[in-house]
Amino acid sequence: MKNHEAETTQTTQTADTTLEAAVAEELLNAVGPAFGRLRRSSLLEVENPISQKDLSRTLVLNVVLEIAQDGTREVTVGAVGSHLGVDPSVASRMVSDCISAGYLVRAASQEDGRRTVLHLSPAGEELMARFRRHQRAAYEYVTADWSERDRLELARLMVKYVAAQESLRRA
């Protein structure tokens, strides 16, 4: 009788482990598509909505800010393209669009007078501040019925994920 109970317990544990592995596999496979939908859903109609065009521009502006904060190199069109992983001509068009919109300005490099560097204009700084407020409002809207613990845990894990990704990119 004890052998039968032990076999039943072992069979149940094996089935539970198999089910947990299948659920984990399904969950991990859903992460990539979820990240894709996350960027597209950031246009939620919350306070101070951001246009689709300005949403694309914030990608470039955010890269300019990240490179400037890093402080290891000047912010050039090439650096923006490298950071985004796009062809130099694509980076040039994206940067030119931000300049035309008044969000970026070109300045002479302090290291090499033949190069130009990029800085956010006051309008670019305002767009990024508005975008950050929009992101926060969208996060609060989407997670409004979550517990405070869950909201903070997701925020902590997202920040941890991005930091790990950045450290891998720098390696």
Side-chain angles (χ1 to χ4, degrees):
M1 189 67 153
K2 284 189 178 186
N3 281 344
H4 178 67
E5 288 176 13
E7 287 176 12
T8 301
T9 301
Q10 186 176 6
T11 301
T12 301
Q13 288 173 343
T14 302
D16 287 348
T17 302
T18 302
L19 180 60
E20 287 174 13
V23 168
E25 186 71 15
E26 186 176 322
L27 183 59
L28 292 172
N29 285 339
V31 169
F35 276 123
R37 288 190 305 275
L38 187 62
R39 177 107 178 133
R40 291 190 306 270
S41 70
S42 61
L43 291 174
L44 285 172
E45 292 300 320
V46 295
E47 175 185 328
N48 295 317
I50 304 291
S51 71
Q52 181 69 45
K53 187 68 172 168
D54 279 349
L55 181 64
S56 296
R57 291 172 176 150
T58 62
L59 183 63
V60 173
L61 300 179
N62 198 49
V63 167
V64 170
L65 289 173
E66 286 177 21
I67 295 170
Q69 282 179 333
D70 182 30
T72 59
R73 59 188 167 153
E74 290 183 317
V75 184
T76 62
V77 173
V80 169
S82 174
H83 199 85
L84 289 173
V86 298
D87 184 81
S89 64
V90 172
S92 181
R93 283 192 300 276
M94 294 171 80
V95 166
S96 292
D97 177 60
C98 288
I99 291 169
S100 296
Y103 297 136
L104 283 178
V105 293
R106 286 190 169 112
S109 166
Q110 298 302 306
E111 294 176 13
D112 182 347
R114 297 168 292 177
R115 268 195 323 217
T116 59
V117 294
L118 304 168
H119 301 282
L120 264 68
S121 68
E125 290 172 4
E126 173 52 36
L127 175 62
M128 289 308 292
R130 191 165 58 93
F131 181 60
R132 297 284 184 250
R133 289 189 302 270
H134 174 79
Q135 287 176 310
R136 173 76 184 259
Y139 186 80
E140 289 175 358
Y141 176 77
V142 169
T143 61
D145 61 345
W146 295 18
S147 71
E148 188 67 11
R149 181 177 181 201
D150 285 351
R151 293 171 77 211
L152 293 174
E153 183 65 5
L154 176 60
R156 184 186 70 75
L157 291 172
M158 289 281 291
V159 170
K160 181 179 179 178
Y161 178 86
V162 170
Q165 190 177 37
E166 281 295 310
S167 117
L168 287 172
R169 191 164 49 87
R170 290 183 185 153

